[in-house]
Coordinates of all heavy atoms in Angstrom, one line a residue:
T41 N -52.3 147.4 35.8 CA -51.9 148.6 34.9 C -50.5 148.5 34.6 O -50.1 149.0 33.5 CB -52.2 149.9 35.7 OG1 -53.6 149.8 36.2 CG2 -51.9 151.1 35.0
I42 N -49.6 148.0 35.5 CA -48.2 147.9 35.1 C -48.0 147.1 33.8 O -47.3 147.4 32.9 CB -47.4 147.3 36.3 CG1 -47.3 148.4 37.4 CG2 -45.9 146.9 35.8 CD1 -46.6 147.8 38.6
Y43 N -48.7 145.9 33.8 CA -48.7 145.1 32.6 C -49.3 145.6 31.3 O -49.0 145.1 30.3 CB -49.2 143.7 33.0 CG -48.4 143.0 34.1 CD1 -48.9 142.9 35.3 CD2 -47.1 142.5 33.8 CE1 -48.1 142.2 36.3 CE2 -46.4 141.9 34.7 CZ -46.8 141.7 36.0 OH -46.1 141.2 37.0
K44 N -50.0 146.7 31.5 CA -50.6 147.3 30.3 C -49.4 148.1 29.6 O -49.4 148.3 28.4 CB -51.7 148.3 30.7 CG -52.3 149.0 29.6 CD -53.4 149.9 30.1 CE -54.0 150.8 28.9 NZ -55.0 151.7 29.4
Y45 N -48.4 148.6 30.4 CA -47.4 149.3 29.9 C -46.0 148.6 29.7 O -45.2 149.0 28.9 CB -47.1 150.7 30.7 CG -48.3 151.5 30.7 CD1 -49.4 151.4 31.7 CD2 -48.5 152.4 29.6 CE1 -50.5 152.2 31.6 CE2 -49.6 153.3 29.6 CZ -50.6 153.2 30.6 OH -51.7 153.9 30.6
F46 N -45.9 147.6 30.5 CA -44.6 146.8 30.5 C -44.9 145.3 30.6 O -45.9 144.9 31.3 CB -43.8 147.2 31.8 CG -43.4 148.6 31.8 CD1 -44.1 149.5 32.5 CD2 -42.2 149.1 31.1 CE1 -43.7 150.9 32.6 CE2 -41.9 150.4 31.1 CZ -42.6 151.3 31.9
D47 N -44.2 144.5 29.8 CA -44.4 143.1 29.7 C -44.1 142.4 31.1 O -44.7 141.3 31.4 CB -43.6 142.5 28.7 CG -44.1 142.9 27.3 OD1 -45.2 143.3 27.1 OD2 -43.2 142.8 26.3
S48 N -43.1 142.9 31.8 CA -42.7 142.3 33.0 C -41.9 143.3 33.9 O -41.6 144.4 33.5 CB -41.7 141.1 32.7 OG -40.5 141.6 32.0
K49 N -41.6 142.8 35.1 CA -40.8 143.7 36.0 C -39.4 143.9 35.3 O -38.8 144.9 35.4 CB -40.6 142.9 37.3 CG -39.8 143.8 38.3 CD -39.8 143.1 39.7 CE -38.8 142.0 39.9 NZ -38.6 141.6 41.2
E50 N -38.9 142.9 34.7 CA -37.6 143.0 34.0 C -37.6 144.1 32.9 O -36.7 144.8 32.7 CB -37.2 141.6 33.3 CG -35.8 141.6 32.8 CD -35.4 140.2 32.3 OE1 -35.2 139.3 33.2 OE2 -35.2 140.1 31.1
A51 N -38.8 144.1 32.2 CA -39.0 145.2 31.2 C -38.9 146.6 31.8 O -38.3 147.6 31.2 CB -40.3 145.0 30.4
V52 N -39.5 146.7 33.0 CA -39.5 148.0 33.7 C -38.0 148.4 34.0 O -37.5 149.5 33.7 CB -40.3 148.0 35.0 CG1 -40.1 149.3 35.8 CG2 -41.7 147.8 34.7
L53 N -37.2 147.4 34.5 CA -35.9 147.6 34.9 C -35.1 147.9 33.6 O -34.3 148.9 33.6 CB -35.3 146.3 35.5 CG -33.8 146.3 35.7 CD1 -33.5 147.3 36.8 CD2 -33.3 144.9 36.2
H54 N -35.3 147.2 32.5 CA -34.6 147.5 31.3 C -34.8 149.0 30.8 O -33.8 149.7 30.4 CB -35.0 146.5 30.2 CG -34.2 146.7 29.0 ND1 -34.6 147.4 27.9 CD2 -33.0 146.2 28.6 CE1 -33.7 147.4 26.9 NE2 -32.6 146.7 27.3
V55 N -36.0 149.5 30.8 CA -36.3 150.8 30.4 C -35.6 151.8 31.3 O -35.0 152.8 30.9 CB -37.8 151.1 30.4 CG1 -38.1 152.6 30.3 CG2 -38.5 150.3 29.3
L56 N -35.6 151.6 32.7 CA -34.9 152.4 33.6 C -33.5 152.5 33.3 O -32.8 153.6 33.3 CB -35.2 151.9 35.1 CG -36.6 152.2 35.7 CD1 -36.6 151.5 37.0 CD2 -36.8 153.7 35.8
L57 N -32.9 151.3 33.1 CA -31.5 151.2 32.9 C -31.1 151.9 31.6 O -30.1 152.6 31.5 CB -31.0 149.8 32.9 CG -31.1 149.1 34.2 CD1 -30.6 147.6 34.0 CD2 -30.2 149.7 35.3
M58 N -31.8 151.7 30.5 CA -31.5 152.3 29.2 C -31.6 153.9 29.4 O -30.8 154.6 28.8 CB -32.4 151.8 28.1 CG -32.1 150.3 27.8 SD -30.3 150.0 27.6 CE -29.8 151.0 26.2
D59 N -32.6 154.3 30.1 CA -32.7 155.8 30.3 C -31.5 156.3 31.0 O -30.8 157.3 30.6 CB -34.0 156.2 31.1 CG -35.3 156.0 30.4 OD1 -35.2 155.8 29.1 OD2 -36.3 156.1 31.0
Y60 N -31.1 155.6 32.1 CA -29.9 156.0 32.9 C -28.7 156.0 32.1 O -27.8 156.9 32.1 CB -29.8 155.1 34.1 CG -28.6 155.4 35.0 CD1 -28.7 156.5 35.8 CD2 -27.5 154.6 35.0 CE1 -27.6 156.8 36.6 CE2 -26.4 154.9 35.7 CZ -26.4 156.0 36.6 OH -25.3 156.2 37.3
I61 N -28.5 154.8 31.3 CA -27.3 154.7 30.5 C -27.2 155.7 29.4 O -26.1 156.2 29.1 CB -27.3 153.2 30.0 CG1 -27.0 152.2 31.1 CG2 -26.2 153.1 28.9 CD1 -27.1 150.8 30.8
Q62 N -28.3 156.0 28.7 CA -28.3 156.9 27.6 C -27.9 158.3 28.2 O -27.0 159.0 27.5 CB -29.6 157.0 26.9 CG -29.8 155.8 26.0 CD -31.2 155.8 25.4 OE1 -32.1 156.4 25.9 NE2 -31.3 155.0 24.3
T63 N -28.4 158.7 29.3 CA -27.9 160.0 29.9 C -26.5 160.0 30.2 O -25.7 160.9 30.0 CB -28.8 160.3 31.1 OG1 -30.1 160.4 30.8 CG2 -28.4 161.6 31.8
S64 N -26.0 158.9 30.8 CA -24.6 158.7 31.3 C -23.7 158.7 30.1 O -22.6 159.2 30.1 CB -24.4 157.5 32.1 OG -25.2 157.6 33.3
V65 N -24.1 158.0 29.0 CA -23.2 157.9 27.9 C -23.0 159.3 27.2 O -22.0 159.6 26.8 CB -23.8 156.9 26.8 CG1 -23.2 157.1 25.4 CG2 -23.6 155.5 27.3
S66 N -24.1 160.0 27.2 CA -24.0 161.4 26.7 C -23.0 162.2 27.4 O -22.2 163.0 26.9 CB -25.4 162.0 26.7 OG -25.3 163.4 26.3
E67 N -23.0 162.1 28.8 CA -22.0 162.8 29.6 C -20.6 162.3 29.3 O -19.7 163.0 29.3 CB -22.4 162.6 31.1 CG -23.7 163.3 31.5 CD -24.2 163.0 32.9 OE1 -23.5 162.3 33.6 OE2 -25.3 163.4 33.2
L68 N -20.5 160.9 29.2 CA -19.2 160.3 28.9 C -18.6 160.9 27.6 O -17.4 161.1 27.5 CB -19.3 158.8 28.8 CG -19.4 158.0 30.1 CD1 -19.6 156.6 29.8 CD2 -18.2 158.2 31.0
V69 N -19.4 160.9 26.6 CA -18.9 161.3 25.3 C -18.4 162.7 25.3 O -17.4 163.0 24.6 CB -20.1 161.1 24.3 CG1 -19.8 161.8 23.0 CG2 -20.4 159.6 24.1
H70 N -19.0 163.6 26.0 CA -18.6 165.0 26.0 C -17.6 165.4 27.0 O -17.3 166.6 27.2 CB -19.9 165.9 26.0 CG -20.7 165.6 24.8 ND1 -21.8 164.7 24.9 CD2 -20.6 166.1 23.6 CE1 -22.3 164.7 23.6 NE2 -21.7 165.6 22.9
S71 N -17.0 164.4 27.7 CA -16.0 164.7 28.7 C -14.6 164.4 28.2 O -14.5 163.7 27.2 CB -16.3 163.9 30.0 OG -16.1 162.5 29.8

Side-chain angles (χ1 to χ4, degrees):
T41 305
I42 291 176
Y43 293 109
K44 180 177 177 185
Y45 296 94
F46 299 96
D47 293 337
S48 63
K49 181 172 82 165
E50 189 175 293
V52 176
L53 175 64
H54 186 263
V55 168
L56 285 173
L57 293 177
M58 291 313 297
D59 288 350
Y60 178 78
I61 287 171
Q62 285 173 339
T63 301
S64 299
V65 164
S66 177
E67 291 168 9
L68 284 174
V69 166
H70 295 95
S71 65

